[in-house]
Amino acid sequence: MKLLRALIASLCLTVLLVQNPPVALAQGDDPPVVDILGRPDTLSHPPLASLEVSVVDRKSGQIIEGLDESNFDVRISDEAVEPIVALNTTGLAVVMVIDRGGIARRNDPRIGRAVDLARALLDTLSLDGSPNADMAALIGIRGQDAGGLTPLVPLTDYDPVAVSNEFDALLTEVVDETTPLYEGIDRAISWIAENPDVAIQDKLANRRRIVFVFSDGIDRDFSDESHEALIVDRANKNDILIYAVQMTAEGRTTESDSLNAVAVQTGGTYFVDSAETHEDVKARFQDVITQRQAYNISFPVIRPAGEYRVEIRVVNAPGGSVSDSEEVISRLQRPGLSLVAPPNLTVTVPYSKDIGSFTTTGLPLAVQVIIKDGASRDLPEVVYYANERRIGTSTEPPDYALTWDVTELERPSDEPIARTYTIVARSSDPYLEEAIQTEPLDVQIVWEERAETLKTVTEDVTRSASQMWWVFPIFGVLGLGLLIVVVLLVRTRGQLARKVVQNTTVAIRGVTQRLGGGGALPPATGKLVVLQGPRAGTEFRLSSSAVKVGRDPQVNDFPLNDQYVSNPHLSVLQEGERCFVQDEGSTNRTRLNGVVLPPHQRQLLAPDAILELGQTRVQYKRLGGATRVLGSGETVSGTGDQGFAPTRMAMGPTHPGEAAKTEYELGDQTGRK
């Protein structure tokens, strides 16, 4: 019967070794014990994977400290990746096996020494219920019956008293029968590798797993060599270290070759306990406790979704090099890309047969990036196409907005004067380097003919010039005066020069506003009202075809005295009864109803529209319209797009009290600084 058991065990061992080859070892007498604890985690911070690696000195049983990135060669499918290494506390999972056969006979002191060692081991563990707490269980082998192999105390991370109470019971029970040592060790391995409690399994995943055996090393019911090999293979397959303590009788020093082989081949240690060595064995437990620490290895898994083999090799470590491998799961998927439909899918472009398109018309475009795998990332760029012709590129997340100037398009020569353009946006995934594209979106561009002609424009200019011949001498005088003022400013740099410049500028602006009106101001169709900012409450009537708005009164028609506003910041343009706004390349940009305007592109200014520039909010009103008053708590957002903050402009010297007493009138503007 024993021979048959041996043959079966040998056959099983051969199959197991083929399916699960041993950990690769490099040259060296005593290479460290390297085990990946649990499976790599790719859920917490994709696409980074992280795992715990235990590196134990084979001689001392201590964790090898002081390793860094240079000591870990990480490869995914044989391709090297860069790791991030840190030493963490993970905790131990210890199953104590006390084989009572042969040592628990009447008046045998060995059971007392075994319990004393187990109690000392328990005292070194930290069973406090914390996330990194140790875990402990106790099996007291008695006989062949099922009860003799059932854990007296299942794995616990919070109740050391339950284990300690069972020690007292072990001291009082006499066991005369033969006990199944290897079945007890096998049961301890199963209790770690195949624990029926799912919650316990989760806690075991990243802990260093150890089986501590206290025995006389005798198991008469099994062939030591065959069953020993099966135990070793199963322990190695589940990254379990076996520490064996042989309890020797008085006057006997015979060692157990089987226990020694099981311990050494699993990466553990073999001890011989006697009355003389008892305290030395106890002291060695402190070395084992250092294995509560393990190295956390993080590395990128830039692979399409699937399962890959990761190999961790420890190099340049005491004792030589050794590796372990595990399966790692990539969850990366290509992001989705979707076009955000513009407010209108039909865009009208005003044009004249003689002068072409005479106003800039833009179509706002944007995309939505859909992350499917939890690995947030910015796209390198988004390229927009119309009928497969590249129309622009954006690198500004999250929506990669772009305004397409449709007036650049060639107008159709046939009727109807309209054309459909198919818009798509394309990009690539920075991780997987795979192309992504939106679904197509059709927009219609309609060219609307207007009465304006080049001939009409030329005639109007000629007529105005002949009627206003008197203006040219005035400009000559004003130019000379301005030259004199500049000289004064350079030479004096004083307040007088600044006032002269200011007054001269105002005079020039007043004359300019009156050109073409026979000496009278043209009728104003709208006004700008400062709702919030340094000049809140001020109104400016738009009686000129072009009004510059900015910081400095010497440069702008409508000065705002706002340090975050440029010179000029924007222009308000009137064409008939329509009004447009154009950002003049300002530092802090302009918002129209919360949308950042592209520089040097005209946008229609609808009644009651809100302009934000610097720390000032301005509302455009048709004359006769009521001005909305800001509610309590409303403020001007001084920021642009995400994380954008206004930049303070360089200011010239100021004079205390000057702003409080200066009054001015520009066109139909009245106000007080």
Side-chain angles (χ1 to χ4, degrees), residues 5-21:
R5 287 179 177 176
L7 291 174
I8 295 174
S10 299
L11 180 61
C12 294
L13 178 60
T14 302
V15 173
L16 289 171
L17 289 176
V18 172
Q19 295 178 343
N20 302 283

Side-chain angles (χ1 to χ4, degrees), residues 26-232:
Q27 295 182 353
D29 296 335
D30 294 293
V33 181
V34 175
D35 287 315
I36 298 175
L37 308 180
R39 298 198 65 179
D41 172 29
T42 56
L43 292 175
S44 302
H45 303 284
L48 287 180
S50 66
L51 47 77
E52 306 294 337
V53 179
S54 176
V55 185
V56 178
D57 181 76
R58 194 176 292 270
K59 291 182 178 179
S60 67
Q62 295 180 339
I63 190 76
I64 298 178
E65 298 181 344
L67 304 182
D68 56 25
E69 286 78 3
S70 65
N71 298 110
F72 292 90
D73 181 22
V74 182
R75 296 179 179 271
I76 302 177
S77 301
D78 294 328
E79 182 179 341
V81 295
E82 292 294 329
I84 302 173
V85 178
L87 188 61
N88 288 345
T89 298
T90 59
L92 296 174
V94 179
V95 179
M96 293 174 282
V97 179
I98 299 180
D99 177 21
R100 292 178 284 176
I103 69 169
R105 294 184 174 90
R106 195 175 303 277
N107 298 323
D108 194 324
R110 289 180 293 176
I111 185 65
R113 297 207 312 268
V115 169
D116 185 57
L117 291 175
R119 196 186 300 276
L121 177 61
L122 178 66
D123 290 340
T124 63
L125 301 178
S126 178
L127 277 65
D128 57 7
S130 65
N132 296 323
D134 298 320
M135 306 179 75
L138 176 63
I139 295 177
I141 305 176
R142 174 171 178 163
Q144 295 282 10
D145 61 292
L149 297 175
T150 301
L152 299 175
V153 181
L155 279 163
T156 177
D157 61 352
Y158 67 90
D159 193 3
V161 177
V163 183
S164 180
N165 288 340
E166 290 296 334
F167 290 152
D168 298 332
L170 293 177
L171 292 173
T172 60
E173 185 176 8
V174 176
V175 179
D176 293 323
E177 70 266 29
T178 302
T179 52
L181 170 62
Y182 288 109
E183 283 193 16
I185 298 175
D186 189 71
R187 185 63 57 88
I189 294 174
S190 297
W191 202 245
I192 294 177
E194 303 167 1
N195 197 285
D197 191 323
V198 176
I200 294 296
Q201 278 291 355
D202 291 339
K203 293 180 179 182
L204 288 168
N206 295 325
R207 284 172 166 81
R208 173 77 276 180
R209 307 167 182 188
I210 297 175
V211 173
F212 249 100
V213 182
F214 304 91
S215 171
D216 61 357
I218 300 174
D219 190 343
R220 294 187 176 90
D221 290 340
F222 291 93
S223 169
D224 287 348
E225 293 180 0
S226 61
H227 211 74
E228 166 197 316
L230 292 174
I231 291 294
V232 169

Side-chain angles (χ1 to χ4, degrees), residues 24 82 320 461 464 559:
E82 292 294 329
V461 172
S464 299

Side-chain angles (χ1 to χ4, degrees), residues 262-294:
V262 167
V264 173
Q265 294 179 52
T266 61
T269 303
Y270 171 73
F271 306 98
V272 177
D273 180 83
S274 64
E276 292 76 18
T277 63
H278 185 70
E279 294 300 322
D280 293 335
V281 173
K282 250 194 232 185
R284 293 292 303 276
F285 293 166
Q286 296 296 330
D287 297 334
V288 178
I289 296 303
T290 64
Q291 298 181 35
R292 299 184 72 244
Q293 293 183 304

